[in-house]
Amino acid sequence: MRIAVGLFGFMCGLIVIGLVGRYGFKSTDIEADAWIMAFLFGAVAAGGLFGHGVAVRLWRHSKVAALCMGFVSIAALMLNLSNSLGAIAGRSDQATMERVSTNRAIRAAEAELQRLTELRDALPPFVQTDAAAVEAAQLAAEAAANMRKAECADGKPSQRGRNCRDREADERAANDRLAQTTAAKAATDRALSLEARAQEQRNKLTALGPIVTVDVQGTAIAKLFRLPDNEASFLATAQQFGLAAVVELIILMCVVSWEVLAPEATPRVVRRTKDSEEQPQAAVVAEPSAPTRLTPPRPQLVSTSTEPPAGPVHAIMAAVLEPMKGARVELGLGYVRYTAECKAQNKKPVDPDVYAEAVAKFCAVTGIKAKIEGDKLYLMNVQLNEPASQIAEG
């Protein structure tokens, strides 16, 4: 469990540091400054995410240093939270700008289509006419003009025929028809041009698709809580802030859990020289876990000898110690009691150095905490029970 939690927190932390570092790198256009900003942002992120685990580790050695480290880590975490928010929000800028550009193109196409439609509707009524009709009207007008010239002697009064007036009327009528046909052709061309341009806008609208929501998350949250659409931007920012905060808190708790779940080290015995104090001591690397049952180990076979056998340290200490929260037993006092019990059992006590090493192993097996104060070592949360002789007398 500890390894899984630690790996999860470590990997997530690296991803967040990379995200924030990239945000710092893109905050400037100068390459040298970009790398400096990436380093600064990444260092703040690393301190804010992993500094709390260091504070937990320091607590075992110096509470003042742990508190100082904790305050610095909290400050780094708050600063990194704003950087993470900017990095998350910045990654959506490109998509937002694309949506805005698409919506602007759609609205422009719709406005142009509406303008072209209004121009088409504003055209006066006309008969759709093509170039062939105009050419035919042109030929008819030219023929009427030729007939008028022939009948009217090209304007000489003495040579005017009786049908000159009719030919002049025919010419006027042909010219009127030509003018009408030309106007109809112009209106037709105008209508066709407007229709072609309108069709281009329709095709563009088909390619662009419908208008999209610019802020999808904010709009969805606004609809969920029945809030106006103008609150979408604020809600999206709040959601991104919550995302960054929760992710960083998860990483922080994983790092702290890694330190809290660390296995306790067993006591390490320090051999004492003849010139040192007579009282045996043991130096402890780290305190073991909470005390468990004081179960004596299996008895060991000893060889037959004329001398009394050595008193088993594990069995005697398991018999004379009993759990008591807040109590403690000094190692030298425990040796005195061990010697007394060996005498009562007609056994030979071991040397103090051997006793200290055996007690260290005994504490590791039973989970009794050992603590050094000054030049003495104490067994924590245990006490010596009354000797069997006193219980019998009582």
Side-chain angles (χ1 to χ4, degrees):
M1 174 61 73
R2 177 174 180 262
I3 295 177
V5 171
L7 288 178
F8 177 78
F10 181 73
M11 296 301 296
C12 292
L14 289 182
I15 293 174
V16 171
I17 292 173
L19 177 66
V20 174
R22 181 177 180 274
Y23 174 68
F25 184 86
K26 289 185 171 295
S27 62
T28 179
D29 296 331
I30 304 175
E31 184 176 359
D33 294 343
W35 285 108
I36 294 174
M37 295 303 296
F39 168 77
L40 294 177
F41 278 52
V44 171
L49 296 175
F50 300 113
H52 303 275
V54 178
V56 173
R57 177 66 64 91
L58 288 175
W59 184 265
R60 304 171 185 173
H61 304 281
S62 174
K63 293 181 173 57
V64 176
L67 291 175
C68 294
M69 187 65 188
F71 288 138
V72 173
S73 300
I74 291 174
L77 183 67
M78 298 302 296
L79 183 59
N80 183 64
L81 185 59
S82 62
N83 295 336
S84 300
L85 177 61
I88 295 174
R91 292 186 66 85
S92 62
D93 287 346
Q94 183 176 0
T96 301
M97 292 304 298
E98 290 178 356
R99 295 190 183 102
V100 171
S101 178
T102 300
N103 289 346
R104 287 178 178 175
I106 292 173
R107 292 189 178 95
E110 289 177 344
E112 181 65 11
L113 178 61
Q114 182 178 1
R115 187 183 72 85
L116 294 173
T117 302
E118 291 175 353
L119 290 176
R120 173 64 179 82
D121 295 339
L123 291 176
F126 64 93
V127 177
Q128 188 168 358
T129 306
D130 55 7
V134 174
E135 184 177 0
Q138 182 69 35
L139 293 175
E142 292 176 356
N146 292 332
M147 293 177 65
R148 190 263 310 164
K149 290 179 181 180
E151 185 67 25
C152 298
D154 198 15
K156 295 179 181 180
S158 59
Q159 297 179 2
R160 290 172 62 89
R162 345 179 252 188
N163 297 323
C164 180
R165 291 182 179 276
D166 295 335
R167 301 289 81 79
E168 290 177 344
D170 293 341
E171 183 183 14
R172 285 194 298 271
N175 289 333
D176 290 340
R177 285 193 298 272
L178 176 60
Q180 294 175 358
T181 303
T182 304
K185 176 66 169 58
T188 301
D189 293 342
R190 175 66 172 167
L192 292 176
S193 175
L194 292 175
E195 183 62 27
R197 292 163 60 186
Q199 187 61 38
E200 290 179 0
Q201 299 303 320
R202 294 189 190 95
N203 296 336
K204 184 183 294 186
L205 288 174
T206 301
L208 292 174
I211 292 179
V212 296
T213 303
V214 175
D215 195 344
V216 180
Q217 289 183 341
T219 303
I221 297 174
K223 291 180 179 179
L224 178 64
F225 294 100
R226 299 181 180 275
L227 297 176
D229 292 339
N230 55 8
E231 297 290 337
S233 178
F234 168 76
L235 293 174
T237 304
Q239 191 270 345
Q240 293 170 352
F241 179 82
L243 175 63
V246 170
V247 169
E248 294 192 4
L249 287 176
I250 290 175
I251 297 173
L252 184 151
M253 295 306 300
C254 289
V255 174
V256 172
S257 300
W258 167 269
E259 291 296 334
V260 173
L261 295 175
E264 301 290 346
T266 58
R268 179 172 56 88
V269 177
V270 178
R271 298 280 184 182
R272 304 182 65 85
T273 62
K274 294 181 180 179
D275 297 335
S276 61
E277 300 178 3
E278 296 181 358
Q279 202 67 264
Q281 298 184 19
V284 182
V285 176
E287 296 181 356
S289 57
T292 57
R293 294 182 303 169
L294 301 178
T295 304
R298 295 181 179 180
Q300 299 179 355
L301 297 177
V302 296
S303 60
T304 305
S305 176
T306 57
E307 296 182 359
V313 178
H314 288 199
I316 293 178
M317 295 307 295
V320 301
L321 292 176
E322 61 183 14
M324 175 59 67
K325 187 175 181 180
R328 63 181 184 175
V329 176
E330 199 269 326
L331 189 62
L333 182 60
Y335 183 71
V336 173
R337 177 64 181 277
Y338 163 75
T339 305
E341 291 293 331
C342 288
K343 184 177 180 181
Q345 299 177 15
N346 194 22
K347 295 180 180 180
K348 179 183 177 180
V350 298
D351 294 336
D353 289 344
V354 178
Y355 170 79
E357 184 175 358
V359 169
K361 295 179 179 178
F362 173 74
C363 291
V365 172
T366 59
I368 297 177
K369 296 180 180 179
K371 184 177 181 181
I372 294 177
E373 291 186 2
D375 58 349
K376 296 184 178 182
L377 184 139
Y378 295 90
L379 305 182
M380 307 303 295
N381 296 320
V382 292
Q383 67 178 4
L384 294 172
N385 55 20
E386 297 183 1
S389 58
Q390 294 183 10
I391 296 176
E393 293 176 0

